[in-house]
Amino acid sequence: MKSVKKVHPRGDEARILLSSVFGPYAQDDEFGSRKINPMELYQNQVTRVQGAFSLRLFHRSFGLMFIQSNIKAPCTLLDFPSLDRFIDECRNQDYDIVGISSIVPNVGKVKKMCEIIRQYLPGATIVVGGHIASKAGLEEEIDADHIVRGDGIRWFREFLGQNPDEPIIHPFVESANHGRIVGHNLPDKPGDTAAVLIPSVGCPVGCNFCSTSALFGGKGNFVNFYETGDELFQVMCSIEKKMKVRSFFVLDENFLLHRKRALRLLDLMKENNKSWMLNIFSSARVLKSYSIEEIVGLGIGWVWMGIEGESSQYRKLKDIDTLDLVRTLQANGIRVLGSTIIGLENHTPDNIEQAIDYAVCHNTDFHQFMLYTPNPGTPLYEKHKQDGTLYDEAIFPVADAHGQYRFNFQHQNIHDGKEENYLLNAFQKDFIVNGPSLLRLIRTLLNGWQRYKNHPDRRIRDRFAWEVNPLRSTYAGAIWAMKKYFRKDMNTEKKLSSLLKDIYCEFGWKTKILAPITGVYVYFSIKREEKQLSRGKIYEPDLFYEKNFAALAMERAGH
């Protein structure tokens, strides 16, 4: 870094621009974009080979939104700009500080953006943060004044002379936008999409490959934005009221690990008759420490959980029967996104198929597959650096080290780029054996409804009734359409026929009439989507341009 951080001369009157890296993203270019690594989490890492059945979603730059909401200075947020749009903003607006957030593979874009800022805003202070901050030697690679690792809110507050310990203001933001599946756009009315909820950042478990844990201090460290269940409950109530939502996507690496806070939240939900639904991340070990009654009572309807394999070295899975845990969760209507790493130290060409089969046999509703990747800042990266097994960037560009292509290190057992085929085989096998994720999700929803539709607690009954409502019409139509589409695939067609029969039995003649009517439309949407994808159609996020209150006030005053 060029300088020691001091309070900016203009303090909280400094004009600030925050930006994500520029697009387009799902293409191969000189700046580090890769077609194989689109700005879509699910299409990129989860439903990658499912074609028209892939869940397509875009997610905002939540970290930048949190910073903007928690500083008093006038701040503009430019999310997913094109290169030309970023240049235009720098050329035509006057900013004192420009902040850029990025992941490591996009270092080429950050370098270009710094050059543009120096050209058009030569007096501006350039601040770079996000996961890219963990990259060794970054200060020599890009022309930035400050590289921020960890809590960006605290850093900016201190830099602007603001009290860093002021309460965190949670922004009101949807967890995803422009959702699409089976060639059909998902509903986008208020309340249709879960709101983002971020209680904490970092993870004290500290797995050796975890970039997020490393970014916030590693094993044993994390930052709580809301320490107590009471604080968190008040935040959720305000989000519920403002956004008219009842579901929350909890962006916390291991939400249930903070047990006292979670159980206090459960008590408050009961006392105030809150029938909320929570989507969470959790390790298997922490999940097992709660009763199913507590999990259901908290409204947990979706869990992202690591399933690293039968012989995993990770304590979070030690002595945990993940097969039984997944079955239990799904039987109670809780959708599971399993996450499996390809290329662990013990993986060899002789046992890799067995490891993939073990992951697939969980039949999770969604399944993420990622290559074992030493990311800068992690203990795994440092180990490979010390061993001399990391590939030089001249041989393996950092833009390709995103976990969906090749190893960025010399694996002791897997060589010659074979990991790329192993990874694709894992996605394909999961799709072939278990069918589309939409099929699995609907089956789990039905399981939950059948188990809890007569539950004595009205709060729980109401949540399951709300979650299952689409099964009566649109989801039933989707199953009808998929049954027609997969009519030559005996395995998948059998699953779909059984599910459709159960839906008809559960919801009666109205659903039986509506399903084929909706289904015909969905079937042709699937065919149309498949044709467009085969012709190379790609999806890109929309541009967002937002000002905080101070920036709007300055604009109204004509400054």
Side-chain angles (χ1 to χ4, degrees):
M1 283 176 279
K2 290 188 174 181
S3 63
V4 176
K5 182 181 66 166
K6 299 177 181 178
V7 174
H8 191 277
R10 298 200 64 194
D12 60 17
E13 292 183 355
R15 293 157 296 187
I16 301 172
L17 172 66
L18 299 177
S19 181
S20 59
V21 296
F22 61 85
Y25 308 96
Q27 66 173 34
D28 298 324
D29 68 16
E30 62 181 300
F31 300 112
S33 282
R34 293 293 184 264
K35 186 176 182 179
I36 199 175
N37 189 34
M39 190 67 77
E40 297 178 81
L41 176 62
Y42 282 82
Q43 169 62 18
N44 185 345
Q45 303 174 10
V46 183
T47 52
R48 178 175 163 182
V49 303
Q50 295 192 26
F53 306 97
S54 179
L55 179 58
R56 317 296 296 249
L57 293 169
F58 294 105
H59 306 278
R60 293 292 306 277
S61 299
F62 301 125
L64 294 180
M65 299 181 81
F66 260 77
I67 293 171
Q68 185 189 41
S69 297
N70 284 277
I71 55 177
K72 297 174 182 176
C75 181
T76 299
L77 173 57
L78 191 61
D79 214 359
F80 309 123
S82 65
L83 178 57
D84 287 343
R85 181 64 184 82
F86 182 74
I87 292 173
D88 181 71
E89 188 69 16
C90 292
R91 179 193 292 142
N92 296 307
Q93 302 296 327
D94 191 15
Y95 292 106
D96 301 299
I97 303 168
V98 181
I100 305 167
S101 178
S102 175
I103 58 174
V104 176
N106 286 323
V107 64
K109 294 193 172 189
V110 175
K111 180 179 180 181
K112 179 66 175 178
M113 294 171 80
C114 289
E115 292 170 359
I116 291 166
I117 297 164
R118 292 298 185 215
Q119 179 180 354
Y120 294 107
L121 294 166
T125 300
I126 301 177
V127 183
V128 172
H131 286 284
I132 194 174
S134 297
K135 188 178 189 299
L138 181 64
E139 61 274 12
E140 305 299 327
E141 199 168 346
I142 64 173
D143 186 8
D145 297 293
H146 301 284
I147 296 171
V148 180
R149 190 177 182 193
D151 185 353
I153 296 174
R154 172 170 285 272
W155 191 95
F156 264 95
R157 282 177 166 178
E158 291 176 346
F159 189 48
L160 298 171
Q162 189 176 333
N163 180 3
D165 295 316
E166 290 178 359
I168 296 296
I169 299 171
H170 201 295
F172 301 107
V173 55
E174 291 182 335
S175 60
N177 60 81
H178 289 78
R180 186 175 177 84
I181 196 168
V182 294
H184 183 67
N185 293 329
L186 296 178
D188 198 26
K189 301 189 302 297
D192 285 332
T193 304
V196 161
L197 178 68
I198 305 183
S200 313
V201 289
C203 180
V205 174
C207 294
N208 68 338
F209 58 82
C210 183
S211 297
T212 304
S213 178
L215 189 66
F216 291 94
K219 190 175 180 66
N221 294 292
F222 58 93
V223 178
N224 265 347
F225 291 151
Y226 307 104
E227 294 283 350
T228 68
D230 294 82
E231 290 178 280
L232 194 57
F233 181 76
Q234 290 304 316
V235 169
M236 294 171 75
C237 286
S238 66
I239 293 174
E240 175 190 42
K241 182 177 180 180
K242 175 73 173 180
M243 299 181 65
K244 298 179 172 55
V245 296
R246 63 186 298 177
S247 60
F248 299 85
F249 199 105
V250 187
L251 285 176
D252 186 311
E253 287 289 318
N254 215 334
F255 174 65
L256 295 177
L257 190 62
H258 306 277
R259 186 178 183 87
K260 183 177 180 181
R261 183 176 67 187
L263 292 180
R264 175 56 180 161
L265 177 62
L266 173 58
D267 289 341
L268 290 167
M269 287 173 64
K270 290 178 178 178
E271 290 171 16
N272 293 274
N273 195 34
K274 293 297 185 182
S275 187
W276 291 331
M277 196 272 274
L278 277 61
N279 307 274
I280 70 166
F281 296 80
S282 180
S283 62
R285 175 170 294 280
V286 171
L287 270 173
K288 287 287 289 184
S289 70
Y290 287 77
S291 68
I292 196 66
E293 290 77 20
E294 289 170 331
I295 292 172
V296 171
L298 271 165
I300 294 170
W302 186 97
V303 174
W304 190 313
M305 181 178 74
I307 303 172
E308 268 78 53
E310 291 177 285
S311 54
S312 167
Q313 63 175 301
Y314 298 106
R315 185 179 179 277
K316 64 182 181 178
L317 292 170
K318 186 174 176 59
D319 301 324
I320 301 295
D321 184 344
T322 52
L323 284 166
D324 178 69
L325 178 57
V326 169
R327 284 193 294 266
T328 298
L329 292 170
Q330 291 177 324
N332 286 275
I334 300 164
R335 283 78 76 199
V336 180
L337 195 161
S339 181
T340 295
I341 295 173
I342 303 296
L344 294 171
E345 288 94 340
N346 64 310
H347 286 169
T348 70
D350 293 330
N351 68 24
I352 191 69
E353 293 300 331
Q354 180 182 348
I356 291 170
D357 288 341
Y358 177 73
V360 169
C361 77
H362 283 76
N363 191 20
T364 54
D365 302 85
F366 294 89
H367 211 120
Q368 177 194 44
F369 293 97
M370 291 286 285
L371 292 178
Y372 201 38
T373 303
N375 286 311
T378 64
L380 182 63
Y381 182 91
E382 292 305 315
K383 179 182 182 301
H384 280 284
K385 184 178 179 180
Q386 291 173 10
D387 293 345
T389 51
L390 286 173
Y391 289 131
D392 188 274
E393 289 182 20
I395 298 172
F396 191 87
V398 67
D400 291 318
H402 48 70
Q404 287 293 317
Y405 175 47
R406 299 274 182 85
F407 293 137
N408 63 340
F409 68 102
Q410 299 171 39
H411 195 283
Q412 60 184 350
N413 301 314
I414 299 171
H415 310 291
D416 304 319
K418 291 181 180 178
E419 65 271 18
E420 184 179 9
N421 288 330
Y422 294 145
L423 184 67
L424 281 172
N425 179 45
F427 281 114
Q428 290 163 350
K429 185 169 287 188
D430 180 60
F431 187 35
I432 291 168
V433 172
N434 297 319
S437 287
L438 183 59
L439 154 65
R440 306 176 226 172
L441 177 149
I442 293 172
R443 169 56 77 183
T444 301
L445 278 173
L446 185 61
N447 290 344
W449 168 249
Q450 290 173 329
R451 173 160 292 203
Y452 290 101
K453 63 183 178 181
N454 296 316
H455 194 275
D457 187 340
R458 182 177 177 179
R459 188 177 67 90
I460 292 174
R461 290 199 312 273
D462 286 352
R463 176 171 70 84
F464 280 96
W466 171 71
E467 287 188 26
V468 85
N469 190 54
L471 265 68
R472 301 175 186 274
S473 53
T474 54
Y475 280 6
I479 295 298
W480 186 97
M482 286 193 286
K483 181 176 180 296
K484 181 175 176 63
Y485 184 90
F486 287 100
R487 59 190 178 276
K488 295 181 181 179
D489 179 340
M490 292 182 63
N491 174 53
T492 304
E493 197 277 340
K494 183 179 179 181
K495 294 176 188 287
L496 289 160
S497 292
S498 174
L499 177 55
L500 191 59
K501 180 181 177 181
D502 291 346
I503 290 173
Y504 288 163
C505 288
E506 190 64 38
F507 299 113
W509 64 268
K510 286 185 179 180
T511 297
K512 198 168 186 177
I513 291 172
L514 285 173
I517 296 172
T518 306
V520 169
Y521 168 76
V522 175
Y523 175 75
F524 284 107
S525 294
I526 293 170
K527 299 289 283 186
R528 182 175 62 250
E529 184 80 352
E530 289 284 6
K531 184 180 292 186
Q532 291 177 338
L533 292 173
S534 69
R535 292 173 178 170
K537 182 177 178 61
I538 60 174
Y539 292 97
E540 294 279 354
D542 285 346
L543 167 72
F544 291 87
Y545 186 68
E546 298 160 342
K547 296 177 181 290
N548 67 0
F549 179 80
L552 289 172
M554 178 177 286
E555 192 175 74
R556 286 193 294 269
H559 296 298

mmCIF file with all atom_site columns, all heavy atoms in Angstrom, residues 73-89:
data_model
loop_
_atom_site.group_PDB
_atom_site.id
_atom_site.type_symbol
_atom_site.label_atom_id
_atom_site.label_alt_id
_atom_site.label_comp_id
_atom_site.label_asym_id
_atom_site.label_entity_id
_atom_site.label_seq_id
_atom_site.pdbx_PDB_ins_code
_atom_site.Cartn_x
_atom_site.Cartn_y
_atom_site.Cartn_z
_atom_site.occupancy
_atom_site.B_iso_or_equiv
_atom_site.pdbx_formal_charge
_atom_site.auth_seq_id
_atom_site.auth_comp_id
_atom_site.auth_asym_id
_atom_site.auth_atom_id
_atom_site.pdbx_PDB_model_num
ATOM 1   N N   . ALA A 1 73 ? -21.144 10.010 4.583   1.00 0.00 ? 73 ALA A N   1
ATOM 2   C CA  . ALA A 1 73 ? -20.698 10.773 3.418   1.00 0.00 ? 73 ALA A CA  1
ATOM 3   C C   . ALA A 1 73 ? -21.597 10.480 2.222   1.00 0.00 ? 73 ALA A C   1
ATOM 4   O O   . ALA A 1 73 ? -22.188 9.396  2.124   1.00 0.00 ? 73 ALA A O   1
ATOM 5   C CB  . ALA A 1 73 ? -19.254 10.406 3.086   1.00 0.00 ? 73 ALA A CB  1
ATOM 6   N N   . PRO A 1 74 ? -21.710 11.435 1.279   1.00 0.00 ? 74 PRO A N   1
ATOM 7   C CA  . PRO A 1 74 ? -22.486 11.189 0.061   1.00 0.00 ? 74 PRO A CA  1
ATOM 8   C C   . PRO A 1 74 ? -21.841 10.079 -0.771  1.00 0.00 ? 74 PRO A C   1
ATOM 9   O O   . PRO A 1 74 ? -20.662 10.174 -1.125  1.00 0.00 ? 74 PRO A O   1
ATOM 10  C CB  . PRO A 1 74 ? -22.446 12.537 -0.680  1.00 0.00 ? 74 PRO A CB  1
ATOM 11  C CG  . PRO A 1 74 ? -21.284 13.264 -0.099  1.00 0.00 ? 74 PRO A CG  1
ATOM 12  C CD  . PRO A 1 74 ? -21.162 12.807 1.321   1.00 0.00 ? 74 PRO A CD  1
ATOM 13  N N   . CYS A 1 75 ? -22.606 9.039  -1.029  1.00 0.00 ? 75 CYS A N   1
ATOM 14  C CA  . CYS A 1 75 ? -22.043 7.840  -1.654  1.00 0.00 ? 75 CYS A CA  1
ATOM 15  C C   . CYS A 1 75 ? -22.939 7.325  -2.774  1.00 0.00 ? 75 CYS A C   1
ATOM 16  O O   . CYS A 1 75 ? -24.139 7.132  -2.594  1.00 0.00 ? 75 CYS A O   1
ATOM 17  C CB  . CYS A 1 75 ? -21.850 6.759  -0.589  1.00 0.00 ? 75 CYS A CB  1
ATOM 18  S SG  . CYS A 1 75 ? -21.129 5.234  -1.225  1.00 0.00 ? 75 CYS A SG  1
ATOM 19  N N   . THR A 1 76 ? -22.337 7.084  -3.920  1.00 0.00 ? 76 THR A N   1
ATOM 20  C CA  . THR A 1 76 ? -23.022 6.519  -5.080  1.00 0.00 ? 76 THR A CA  1
ATOM 21  C C   . THR A 1 76 ? -22.525 5.099  -5.297  1.00 0.00 ? 76 THR A C   1
ATOM 22  O O   . THR A 1 76 ? -21.315 4.828  -5.198  1.00 0.00 ? 76 THR A O   1
ATOM 23  C CB  . THR A 1 76 ? -22.737 7.361  -6.341  1.00 0.00 ? 76 THR A CB  1
ATOM 24  O OG1 . THR A 1 76 ? -23.230 8.683  -6.141  1.00 0.00 ? 76 THR A OG1 1
ATOM 25  C CG2 . THR A 1 76 ? -23.402 6.757  -7.574  1.00 0.00 ? 76 THR A CG2 1
ATOM 26  N N   . LEU A 1 77 ? -23.447 4.187  -5.589  1.00 0.00 ? 77 LEU A N   1
ATOM 27  C CA  . LEU A 1 77 ? -23.092 2.792  -5.855  1.00 0.00 ? 77 LEU A CA  1
ATOM 28  C C   . LEU A 1 77 ? -23.372 2.466  -7.312  1.00 0.00 ? 77 LEU A C   1
ATOM 29  O O   . LEU A 1 77 ? -24.481 2.666  -7.815  1.00 0.00 ? 77 LEU A O   1
ATOM 30  C CB  . LEU A 1 77 ? -23.894 1.857  -4.948  1.00 0.00 ? 77 LEU A CB  1
ATOM 31  C CG  . LEU A 1 77 ? -23.753 0.350  -5.212  1.00 0.00 ? 77 LEU A CG  1
ATOM 32  C CD1 . LEU A 1 77 ? -22.302 -0.097 -5.116  1.00 0.00 ? 77 LEU A CD1 1
ATOM 33  C CD2 . LEU A 1 77 ? -24.619 -0.443 -4.232  1.00 0.00 ? 77 LEU A CD2 1
ATOM 34  N N   . LEU A 1 78 ? -22.351 1.963  -7.992  1.00 0.00 ? 78 LEU A N   1
ATOM 35  C CA  . LEU A 1 78 ? -22.442 1.547  -9.393  1.00 0.00 ? 78 LEU A CA  1
ATOM 36  C C   . LEU A 1 78 ? -22.200 0.037  -9.420  1.00 0.00 ? 78 LEU A C   1
ATOM 37  O O   . LEU A 1 78 ? -21.063 -0.417 -9.271  1.00 0.00 ? 78 LEU A O   1
ATOM 38  C CB  . LEU A 1 78 ? -21.398 2.296  -10.219 1.00 0.00 ? 78 LEU A CB  1
ATOM 39  C CG  . LEU A 1 78 ? -21.453 2.229  -11.739 1.00 0.00 ? 78 LEU A CG  1
ATOM 40  C CD1 . LEU A 1 78 ? -22.759 2.803  -12.274 1.00 0.00 ? 78 LEU A CD1 1
ATOM 41  C CD2 . LEU A 1 78 ? -20.262 2.974  -12.336 1.00 0.00 ? 78 LEU A CD2 1
ATOM 42  N N   . ASP A 1 79 ? -23.277 -0.725 -9.569  1.00 0.00 ? 79 ASP A N   1
ATOM 43  C CA  . ASP A 1 79 ? -23.177 -2.184 -9.494  1.00 0.00 ? 79 ASP A CA  1
ATOM 44  C C   . ASP A 1 79 ? -23.366 -2.797 -10.880 1.00 0.00 ? 79 ASP A C   1
ATOM 45  O O   . ASP A 1 79 ? -24.361 -2.542 -11.551 1.00 0.00 ? 79 ASP A O   1
ATOM 46  C CB  . ASP A 1 79 ? -24.245 -2.723 -8.525  1.00 0.00 ? 79 ASP A CB  1
ATOM 47  C CG  . ASP A 1 79 ? -23.771 -3.948 -7.765  1.00 0.00 ? 79 ASP A CG  1
ATOM 48  O OD1 . ASP A 1 79 ? -22.630 -4.395 -7.991  1.00 0.00 ? 79 ASP A OD1 1
ATOM 49  O OD2 . ASP A 1 79 ? -24.548 -4.445 -6.924  1.00 0.00 ? 79 ASP A OD2 1
ATOM 50  N N   . PHE A 1 80 ? -22.400 -3.596 -11.315 1.00 0.00 ? 80 PHE A N   1
ATOM 51  C CA  . PHE A 1 80 ? -22.386 -4.272 -12.617 1.00 0.00 ? 80 PHE A CA  1
ATOM 52  C C   . PHE A 1 80 ? -22.375 -3.291 -13.799 1.00 0.00 ? 80 PHE A C   1
ATOM 53  O O   . PHE A 1 80 ? -23.164 -3.413 -14.730 1.00 0.00 ? 80 PHE A O   1
ATOM 54  C CB  . PHE A 1 80 ? -23.573 -5.234 -12.753 1.00 0.00 ? 80 PHE A CB  1
ATOM 55  C CG  . PHE A 1 80 ? -23.731 -6.180 -11.596 1.00 0.00 ? 80 PHE A CG  1
ATOM 56  C CD1 . PHE A 1 80 ? -24.914 -6.233 -10.880 1.00 0.00 ? 80 PHE A CD1 1
ATOM 57  C CD2 . PHE A 1 80 ? -22.685 -6.996 -11.202 1.00 0.00 ? 80 PHE A CD2 1
ATOM 58  C CE1 . PHE A 1 80 ? -25.062 -7.089 -9.798  1.00 0.00 ? 80 PHE A CE1 1
ATOM 59  C CE2 . PHE A 1 80 ? -22.822 -7.860 -10.123 1.00 0.00 ? 80 PHE A CE2 1
ATOM 60  C CZ  . PHE A 1 80 ? -24.012 -7.907 -9.421  1.00 0.00 ? 80 PHE A CZ  1
ATOM 61  N N   . PRO A 1 81 ? -21.469 -2.313 -13.782 1.00 0.00 ? 81 PRO A N   1
ATOM 62  C CA  . PRO A 1 81 ? -21.395 -1.405 -14.924 1.00 0.00 ? 81 PRO A CA  1
ATOM 63  C C   . PRO A 1 81 ? -20.658 -2.059 -16.088 1.00 0.00 ? 81 PRO A C   1
ATOM 64  O O   . PRO A 1 81 ? -19.913 -3.020 -15.903 1.00 0.00 ? 81 PRO A O   1
ATOM 65  C CB  . PRO A 1 81 ? -20.557 -0.242 -14.374 1.00 0.00 ? 81 PRO A CB  1
ATOM 66  C CG  . PRO A 1 81 ? -19.621 -0.910 -13.409 1.00 0.00 ? 81 PRO A CG  1
ATOM 67  C CD  . PRO A 1 81 ? -20.440 -2.002 -12.765 1.00 0.00 ? 81 PRO A CD  1
ATOM 68  N N   . SER A 1 82 ? -20.853 -1.518 -17.281 1.00 0.00 ? 82 SER A N   1
ATOM 69  C CA  . SER A 1 82 ? -19.974 -1.858 -18.398 1.00 0.00 ? 82 SER A CA  1
ATOM 70  C C   . SER A 1 82 ? -18.715 -1.016 -18.238 1.00 0.00 ? 82 SER A C   1
ATOM 71  O O   . SER A 1 82 ? -18.672 -0.066 -17.436 1.00 0.00 ? 82 SER A O   1
ATOM 72  C CB  . SER A 1 82 ? -20.653 -1.534 -19.723 1.00 0.00 ? 82 SER A CB  1
ATOM 73  O OG  . SER A 1 82 ? -20.860 -0.134 -19.838 1.00 0.00 ? 82 SER A OG  1
ATOM 74  N N   . LEU A 1 83 ? -17.690 -1.321 -18.991 1.00 0.00 ? 83 LEU A N   1
ATOM 75  C CA  . LEU A 1 83 ? -16.464 -0.528 -18.939 1.00 0.00 ? 83 LEU A CA  1
ATOM 76  C C   . LEU A 1 83 ? -16.753 0.911  -19.366 1.00 0.00 ? 83 LEU A C   1
ATOM 77  O O   . LEU A 1 83 ? -16.302 1.866  -18.722 1.00 0.00 ? 83 LEU A O   1
ATOM 78  C CB  . LEU A 1 83 ? -15.392 -1.148 -19.831 1.00 0.00 ? 83 LEU A CB  1
ATOM 79  C CG  . LEU A 1 83 ? -14.055 -0.407 -19.912 1.00 0.00 ? 83 LEU A CG  1
ATOM 80  C CD1 . LEU A 1 83 ? -13.432 -0.231 -18.534 1.00 0.00 ? 83 LEU A CD1 1
ATOM 81  C CD2 . LEU A 1 83 ? -13.093 -1.143 -20.843 1.00 0.00 ? 83 LEU A CD2 1
ATOM 82  N N   . ASP A 1 84 ? -17.537 1.067  -20.424 1.00 0.00 ? 84 ASP A N   1
ATOM 83  C CA  . ASP A 1 84 ? -17.879 2.411  -20.900 1.00 0.00 ? 84 ASP A CA  1
ATOM 84  C C   . ASP A 1 84 ? -18.670 3.194  -19.854 1.00 0.00 ? 84 ASP A C   1
ATOM 85  O O   . ASP A 1 84 ? -18.465 4.397  -19.687 1.00 0.00 ? 84 ASP A O   1
ATOM 86  C CB  . ASP A 1 84 ? -18.685 2.328  -22.201 1.00 0.00 ? 84 ASP A CB  1
ATOM 87  C CG  . ASP A 1 84 ? -17.830 1.918  -23.396 1.00 0.00 ? 84 ASP A CG  1
ATOM 88  O OD1 . ASP A 1 84 ? -16.589 2.015  -23.293 1.00 0.00 ? 84 ASP A OD1 1
ATOM 89  O OD2 . ASP A 1 84 ? -18.402 1.489  -24.414 1.00 0.00 ? 84 ASP A OD2 1
ATOM 90  N N   . ARG A 1 85 ? -19.572 2.505  -19.153 1.00 0.00 ? 85 ARG A N   1
ATOM 91  C CA  . ARG A 1 85 ? -20.380 3.196  -18.128 1.00 0.00 ? 85 ARG A CA  1
ATOM 92  C C   . ARG A 1 85 ? -19.502 3.635  -16.957 1.00 0.00 ? 85 ARG A C   1
ATOM 93  O O   . ARG A 1 85 ? -19.700 4.717  -16.404 1.00 0.00 ? 85 ARG A O   1
ATOM 94  C CB  . ARG A 1 85 ? -21.495 2.268  -17.645 1.00 0.00 ? 85 ARG A CB  1
ATOM 95  C CG  . ARG A 1 85 ? -22.410 2.891  -16.591 1.00 0.00 ? 85 ARG A CG  1
ATOM 96  C CD  . ARG A 1 85 ? -23.179 4.085  -17.151 1.00 0.00 ? 85 ARG A CD  1
ATOM 97  N NE  . ARG A 1 85 ? -23.989 4.746  -16.129 1.00 0.00 ? 85 ARG A NE  1
ATOM 98  C CZ  . ARG A 1 85 ? -23.513 5.648  -15.252 1.00 0.00 ? 85 ARG A CZ  1
ATOM 99  N NH1 . ARG A 1 85 ? -22.228 6.004  -15.287 1.00 0.00 ? 85 ARG A NH1 1
ATOM 100 N NH2 . ARG A 1 85 ? -24.316 6.193  -14.361 1.00 0.00 ? 85 ARG A NH2 1
ATOM 101 N N   . PHE A 1 86 ? -18.525 2.812  -16.599 1.00 0.00 ? 86 PHE A N   1
ATOM 102 C CA  . PHE A 1 86 ? -17.613 3.191  -15.512 1.00 0.00 ? 86 PHE A CA  1
ATOM 103 C C   . PHE A 1 86 ? -16.759 4.391  -15.930 1.00 0.00 ? 86 PHE A C   1
ATOM 104 O O   . PHE A 1 86 ? -16.557 5.332  -15.150 1.00 0.00 ? 86 PHE A O   1
ATOM 105 C CB  . PHE A 1 86 ? -16.726 2.011  -15.126 1.00 0.00 ? 86 PHE A CB  1
ATOM 106 C CG  . PHE A 1 86 ? -15.798 2.309  -13.986 1.00 0.00 ? 86 PHE A CG  1
ATOM 107 C CD1 . PHE A 1 86 ? -16.273 2.392  -12.686 1.00 0.00 ? 86 PHE A CD1 1
ATOM 108 C CD2 . PHE A 1 86 ? -14.442 2.543  -14.221 1.00 0.00 ? 86 PHE A CD2 1
ATOM 109 C CE1 . PHE A 1 86 ? -15.413 2.694  -11.628 1.00 0.00 ? 86 PHE A CE1 1
ATOM 110 C CE2 . PHE A 1 86 ? -13.586 2.832  -13.169 1.00 0.00 ? 86 PHE A CE2 1
ATOM 111 C CZ  . PHE A 1 86 ? -14.072 2.911  -11.880 1.00 0.00 ? 86 PHE A CZ  1
ATOM 112 N N   . ILE A 1 87 ? -16.265 4.365  -17.167 1.00 0.00 ? 87 ILE A N   1
ATOM 113 C CA  . ILE A 1 87 ? -15.485 5.492  -17.677 1.00 0.00 ? 87 ILE A CA  1
ATOM 114 C C   . ILE A 1 87 ? -16.323 6.768  -17.670 1.00 0.00 ? 87 ILE A C   1
ATOM 115 O O   . ILE A 1 87 ? -15.861 7.837  -17.247 1.00 0.00 ? 87 ILE A O   1
ATOM 116 C CB  . ILE A 1 87 ? -14.976 5.196  -19.105 1.00 0.00 ? 87 ILE A CB  1
ATOM 117 C CG1 . ILE A 1 87 ? -13.929 4.074  -19.070 1.00 0.00 ? 87 ILE A CG1 1
ATOM 118 C CG2 . ILE A 1 87 ? -14.391 6.446  -19.748 1.00 0.00 ? 87 ILE A CG2 1
ATOM 119 C CD1 . ILE A 1 87 ? -13.494 3.590  -20.444 1.00 0.00 ? 87 ILE A CD1 1
ATOM 120 N N   . ASP A 1 88 ? -17.567 6.643  -18.114 1.00 0.00 ? 88 ASP A N   1
ATOM 121 C CA  . ASP A 1 88 ? -18.464 7.798  -18.160 1.00 0.00 ? 88 ASP A CA  1
ATOM 122 C C   . ASP A 1 88 ? -18.674 8.393  -16.764 1.00 0.00 ? 88 ASP A C   1
ATOM 123 O O   . ASP A 1 88 ? -18.674 9.614  -16.593 1.00 0.00 ? 88 ASP A O   1
ATOM 124 C CB  . ASP A 1 88 ? -19.807 7.373  -18.765 1.00 0.00 ? 88 ASP A CB  1
ATOM 125 C CG  . ASP A 1 88 ? -20.788 8.523  -18.860 1.00 0.00 ? 88 ASP A CG  1
ATOM 126 O OD1 . ASP A 1 88 ? -20.581 9.412  -19.698 1.00 0.00 ? 88 ASP A OD1 1
ATOM 127 O OD2 . ASP A 1 88 ? -21.765 8.526  -18.084 1.00 0.00 ? 88 ASP A OD2 1
ATOM 128 N N   . GLU A 1 89 ? -18.831 7.536  -15.763 1.00 0.00 ? 89 GLU A N   1
ATOM 129 C CA  . GLU A 1 89 ? -19.046 8.020  -14.401 1.00 0.00 ? 89 GLU A CA  1
ATOM 130 C C   . GLU A 1 89 ? -17.813 8.761  -13.879 1.00 0.00 ? 89 GLU A C   1
ATOM 131 O O   . GLU A 1 89 ? -17.923 9.809  -13.242 1.00 0.00 ? 89 GLU A O   1
ATOM 132 C CB  . GLU A 1 89 ? -19.395 6.846  -13.475 1.00 0.00 ? 89 GLU A CB  1
ATOM 133 C CG  . GLU A 1 89 ? -19.815 7.234  -12.077 1.00 0.00 ? 89 GLU A CG  1
ATOM 134 C CD  . GLU A 1 89 ? -21.173 7.933  -12.028 1.00 0.00 ? 89 GLU A CD  1
ATOM 135 O OE1 . GLU A 1 89 ? -21.939 7.857  -13.021 1.00 0.00 ? 89 GLU A OE1 1
ATOM 136 O OE2 . GLU A 1 89 ? -21.455 8.555  -10.979 1.00 0.00 ? 89 GLU A OE2 1
#
